[in-house]
């Protein structure tokens, strides 16, 4: 492990693209750490059918980040450094190893994995390599997978998107995307199911379920879901029917992933880079797929899932 850490450290001195990907990954992780965590609740007033929020949108401002943000724990930075050579050199002997982070709950394992994932995706963009399928698969049991964990990973992908848009000449126009592939009781299998569920949420905000996993914007913490304002019809915030499917758009127009509130105007901003609908995942495989083991069992039964591996 020590030797691998030292080889990774040497790569940063000798390979400019590795160093640049490392810098971008650290920047994206730092930005993600600084994004607001407390809910921003929608508030209706003044006769407007569009909500305001009880807290103002916070743009990225690293100069005012808390002093405790922007640091790795020793095992995290060691894991990132020791992974570098195996990620960039397809002849590396490290590729015969399976690494296990053995650390207590709450110790920062997921953040260590996300750091490695961020590095890999930035590096592939820098060298001009675009996968047709999924680049990273993360497998959970349903018992361990929570909406908060998925939200944390999605916050990083929003952060990577923020960095990409500032460096399009280097990183290209393809969105960094993440998908969640879990059981039917948790997320919709088909686009029609997702659209139908939106309409049910509009009609019955209290009784209809919410299968869309994210309950707030992973970038600015604006609340998502069905709401019933006192003086207007119920609304579904955060989930928008668009181009025959459901996309995630933050209900705060000020957000970097905000929804254009005037329906007569075209969208000015990209939606959140996330999908939980099976059909969308198969048609456009995301860079990272977070899935449960019961879904992976389907790989033997559904030929269309070959798209995850860039086949067909």
């Amino acid at each position: 492990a020590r030797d691998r850490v030292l080889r990774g450290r040497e790569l940063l001195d000798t390979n400019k693209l590795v160093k640049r990907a490392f810098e971008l990954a650290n920047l994206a992780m730092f930005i993600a750490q600084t994004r607001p965590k407390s809910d921003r609740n929608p508030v209706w007033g003044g006769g407007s059918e569009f909500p305001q929020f009880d807290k103002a949108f916070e743009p990225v401002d690293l100069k005012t980040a808390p002093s405790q943000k922007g640091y790795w724990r020793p095992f995290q930075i060691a894991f990132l450094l020791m992974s570098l050579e195996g990620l960039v050199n397809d002849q590396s002997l490290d590729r015969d190893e399976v690494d296990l982070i053995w650390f207590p709950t709450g110790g920062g394992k997921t953040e260590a994995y996300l750091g490695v994932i961020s590095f890999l995706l930035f590096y592939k963009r820098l060298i001009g390599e675009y996968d047709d399928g999924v680049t990273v698969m993360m497998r959970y049991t349903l018992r361990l997978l929570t909406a908060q964990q998925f939200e944390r990973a999605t916050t990083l992908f929003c952060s990577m998107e923020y960095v990409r848009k500032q460096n399009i000449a280097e990183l290209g126009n393809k969105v960094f995307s993440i998908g969640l592939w879990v059981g039917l009781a948790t997320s919709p299998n088909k686009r029609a199911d997702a659209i139908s569920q939106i309409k049910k949420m509009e009609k019955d905000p209290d009784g209809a379920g919410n299968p869309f996993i994210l309950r707030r914007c992973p970038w600015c913490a604006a609340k998502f879901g069905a709401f019933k304002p006192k003086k207007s019809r119920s609304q579904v915030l955060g989930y928008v029917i668009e181009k025959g499917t459901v996309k995630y758009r933050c209900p705060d127009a000020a957000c970097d992933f905000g929804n254009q509130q005037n329906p007569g105007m075209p969208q000015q901003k990209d939606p959140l880079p996330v999908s939980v609908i099976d059909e969308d995942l198969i048609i456009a495989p995301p860079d990272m797929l977070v899935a449960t083991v019961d879904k992976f069992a389907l790989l033997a039964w559904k030929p269309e899932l070959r798209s995850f591996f860039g086949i067909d």
Side-chain angles (χ1 to χ4, degrees):
R2 178 204 62 196
D3 290 346
R4 288 173 63 191
V5 168
L6 293 175
R7 288 200 300 273
R9 181 65 188 84
E10 184 180 359
L11 267 177
L12 295 178
D13 289 333
T14 58
N15 187 315
K16 290 182 179 178
L17 290 178
V18 170
K19 182 182 180 183
R20 181 60 177 153
F22 185 79
E23 290 172 345
L24 292 170
N26 275 275
L27 175 60
M29 291 294 296
F30 184 24
I31 292 172
Q33 281 187 2
T34 65
R35 297 311 296 155
K37 304 295 189 290
S38 58
D39 289 347
R40 301 172 60 231
N41 296 299
V43 179
W44 283 266
S48 172
E49 62 178 300
F50 303 119
Q52 302 299 310
F53 289 84
D54 59 358
K55 303 185 190 79
F57 170 75
E58 295 180 26
V60 173
D61 183 1
L62 298 183
K63 293 179 181 177
T64 60
S67 59
Q68 69 270 27
K69 300 291 185 183
Y71 293 91
W72 291 108
R73 296 174 186 179
F75 87 88
Q76 293 174 326
I77 187 61
F79 180 69
L80 178 52
L81 288 170
M82 69 184 278
S83 300
L84 295 185
E85 191 205 6
L87 292 173
V88 305
N89 175 11
D90 59 11
Q91 302 300 314
S92 173
L93 295 177
D94 293 353
R95 293 199 173 198
D96 292 330
E97 302 286 342
V98 174
D99 291 316
L100 172 69
I101 297 181
W102 187 256
F103 219 81
T105 300
K109 293 186 295 295
T110 299
E111 195 166 44
Y113 294 137
L114 291 177
V116 169
I117 290 164
S118 181
F119 167 83
L120 174 63
L121 293 176
F122 278 125
Y123 179 77
K124 289 169 81 72
R125 295 295 174 87
L126 289 172
I127 64 173
E129 185 174 305
Y130 293 87
D131 289 331
D132 289 328
V134 170
T135 301
V136 179
M137 287 185 172
M138 186 174 280
R139 195 272 299 167
Y140 279 96
T141 60
L142 266 176
R143 184 175 61 84
L144 293 176
L145 178 61
T146 67
Q148 288 88 348
Q149 286 168 320
F150 182 60
E151 182 184 301
R152 190 162 40 154
T154 304
T155 300
L156 172 62
F157 273 75
C158 291
S159 184
M160 292 169 65
E161 268 297 279
Y162 180 86
V163 171
R164 181 189 66 81
K165 288 175 181 176
Q166 294 180 323
N167 299 274
I168 287 179
E170 271 187 304
L171 299 172
N173 291 310
K174 186 170 185 274
V175 170
F176 286 116
S177 57
I178 181 171
L180 183 68
W181 193 38
V182 292
L184 177 61
T186 311
S187 66
N189 283 346
K190 297 180 179 179
R191 291 170 166 177
D193 296 338
I195 292 170
S196 173
Q197 192 62 31
I198 293 286
K199 293 176 179 177
K200 288 179 183 176
M201 292 167 70
E202 288 174 342
K203 291 179 181 177
D204 184 10
D206 297 320
N210 183 345
F212 297 102
I213 315 299
L214 293 178
R215 298 296 192 268
R216 66 180 186 178
C217 176
W219 187 241
C220 76
K223 289 290 290 291
F224 288 0
F227 296 89
K228 183 70 175 75
K230 290 181 180 178
K231 295 184 179 180
S232 63
R233 61 184 179 83
S234 59
Q235 295 185 35
V236 176
L237 303 182
Y239 322 122
V240 179
I241 298 172
E242 188 176 315
K243 297 180 179 177
T245 188
V246 175
K247 295 187 181 292
Y248 290 84
R249 288 189 179 274
C250 179
D252 187 348
C255 178
D256 295 291
F257 301 92
N259 191 24
Q260 168 59 259
Q261 293 182 329
N262 185 337
M265 297 290 289
Q267 293 289 352
Q268 300 295 315
K269 300 173 183 177
D270 291 331
L272 286 155
V274 57
S275 180
V276 301
I277 302 168
D278 287 20
E279 278 187 336
D280 288 341
L281 296 172
I282 292 166
I283 291 168
D287 291 298
M288 176 172 161
L289 184 67
V290 181
T292 48
V293 68
D294 60 315
K295 281 292 192 177
F296 277 125
L298 290 172
L299 292 172
W301 299 91
K302 290 195 170 186
E304 63 267 29
L305 300 178
R306 292 153 61 93
S307 69
F308 289 157
F309 300 94
I311 302 170
D312 297 336

